[in-house]
Amino acid sequence: MTVHTSLASTAHPAMEKPHAPATDRNRDPILAVLRLHFADRRHVLEIGSGTGQHAIHFAAALPHLTWQTSDRPQYLPGIRLWLDEAGLPNTPAPIALDVNAPPDLSTRFDAIFSANTLHIMSWPEVERLFAVLPGLMTPGALLCCYGPFNYHGRFSSESNAQFDASLKSENPQRGIRDFEAVDALAHGAGMTKLEDAEMPANNRCITWRFASPA
């Protein structure tokens, strides 16, 4: 699973710990949403963990959760640096997860979290992600996605329009996704929207509940 370029590891062969400044800015507003919806959860899979900074912040603040990080293989060493430094008891080793070659995981999760991933993936990859999710979730599991969204085909701000143009200049398959299209994928995967929370910097935090595939 790939992540927002600002979350991409800056680690080099000497294995400096990666750092994403945006994570320091958005982690507490996201945590407020997770405190509400993940209060009764136990086992969270984070898809597209990037540097691992979100993982240690949320796992430290929500010690009742086992927080399982995941990302494409090239990001795992950087994630391990953050996990090892924090030394939290509820953050197992990261696992490789790529929607283009999804693993056959025996574990299912009662919560899934992902931040700044949907606009980095191509739309076919977003479709594959939602096709894979039911096989990772227990009945009643929650999915929480953070990032920018369009509504009714329109950008919610000029800064989001500029961000979308920047994404497409890097890769034409990237771009801010329409909420309605993503919600349709979630519905097709057996999920119902619980909340669409407004977040700072023209982002959203959207939570769905999984029942079973439609």
Side-chain angles (χ1 to χ4, degrees), residues 43-153:
H43 202 181
V44 180
L45 172 65
E46 181 182 10
I47 295 178
S49 298
T51 63
Q53 289 169 259
H54 273 153
I56 63 167
H57 187 69
F58 300 151
L62 304 168
H64 68 284
L65 297 175
T66 296
W67 194 278
Q68 177 63 66
T69 52
S70 73
D71 213 312
R72 286 181 171 175
Q74 64 265 34
Y75 295 107
L76 302 190
I79 295 170
R80 289 190 190 99
L81 289 177
W82 281 94
L83 299 187
D84 291 348
E85 180 181 80
L88 298 172
N90 56 334
T91 54
I95 59 175
L97 197 159
D98 187 332
V99 296
N100 295 307
D104 183 14
L105 298 179
S106 58
T107 302
R108 291 199 175 196
F109 302 86
D110 62 3
I112 293 179
F113 171 75
S114 193
N116 289 324
T117 54
L118 301 185
H119 56 268
I120 292 298
M121 294 187 289
S122 69
W123 183 248
E125 288 174 326
V126 176
E127 292 177 316
R128 283 194 286 274
L129 170 64
F130 277 87
V132 166
L133 287 176
L136 301 174
M137 305 172 82
T138 61
L142 300 181
L143 168 67
C144 185
C145 289
Y146 168 86
F149 288 87
N150 293 334
Y151 290 82
H152 307 293

Side-chain angles (χ1 to χ4, degrees), residues 170-184:
E170 297 172 1
N171 184 333
Q173 296 191 72
R174 294 178 175 178
I176 297 177
R177 305 304 171 194
D178 289 342
F179 162 76
E180 293 81 7
V182 174
D183 190 51

Side-chain angles (χ1 to χ4, degrees), residues 26-38 54 58 67 112-116 118 143-149 151 179 182 193-208:
N26 64 34
R27 64 187 187 178
D28 288 325
I30 296 173
L31 177 59
V33 174
L34 299 185
R35 285 191 189 279
L36 173 65
H37 290 296
F38 287 7
H54 273 153
F58 300 151
W67 194 278
I112 293 179
F113 171 75
S114 193
N116 289 324
L118 301 185
L143 168 67
C144 185
C145 289
Y146 168 86
F149 288 87
Y151 290 82
F179 162 76
V182 174
K193 180 174 67 70
L194 294 182
E195 183 184 42
D196 182 351
E198 184 177 358
M199 306 295 280
N202 302 301
N203 288 300
R204 313 293 297 189
C205 205
I206 304 175
T207 305
W208 292 268

